[in-house]
Amino acid sequence: MSFTAREWILLPKEEQEQRAKELSAHECFLLRTRLDHIHFTEEQKKNMSEAEKNAFLYPKQLTKEEIKRQQKESENIFRQMIENNKKECEK
């Protein structure tokens, strides 16, 4: 049985190691690129309610407006970083 990267994250550590080969190449890619910042402890995994698990497994999809807003925020952050870097280089 194959499963998603998010389902794999919620498995106990021992089971993750045993079942790692069941992840598809795409799910491995997602683990490395999109979900690499998620690190639940074994205790957190054990104590998660069904609602918390479902919220993690099935995250809310962003609307087009939310995506555009996030892109603009990211662009502003990069602009600020570039400006700060230029100022540092001028010193």
Side-chain angles (χ1 to χ4, degrees), residues 25-62:
H26 177 69
E27 295 300 326
C28 289
F29 171 79
L30 292 176
L31 280 170
R32 290 190 310 273
T33 60
R34 300 274 174 95
L35 303 170
D36 61 331
H37 63 284
I38 300 171
H39 303 283
F40 294 121
T41 65
E42 294 301 308
E43 192 68 27
Q44 288 172 318
K45 292 177 195 179
K46 245 190 271 183
N47 294 329
M48 259 189 193
S49 69
E50 284 303 311
E52 290 171 323
K53 286 180 186 176
N54 283 331
F56 175 71
L57 291 172
Y58 311 106
K60 175 181 108 72
Q61 297 296 315
L62 297 177

Side-chain angles (χ1 to χ4, degrees), residues 68-83:
K68 284 182 182 180
R69 189 185 77 246
Q70 284 185 352
Q71 287 173 336
K72 284 182 181 181
E73 289 173 2
S74 295
E75 288 172 9
N76 288 335
I77 290 168
F78 282 117
R79 277 193 198 105
Q80 289 173 354
M81 289 172 60
I82 291 169
E83 289 172 13

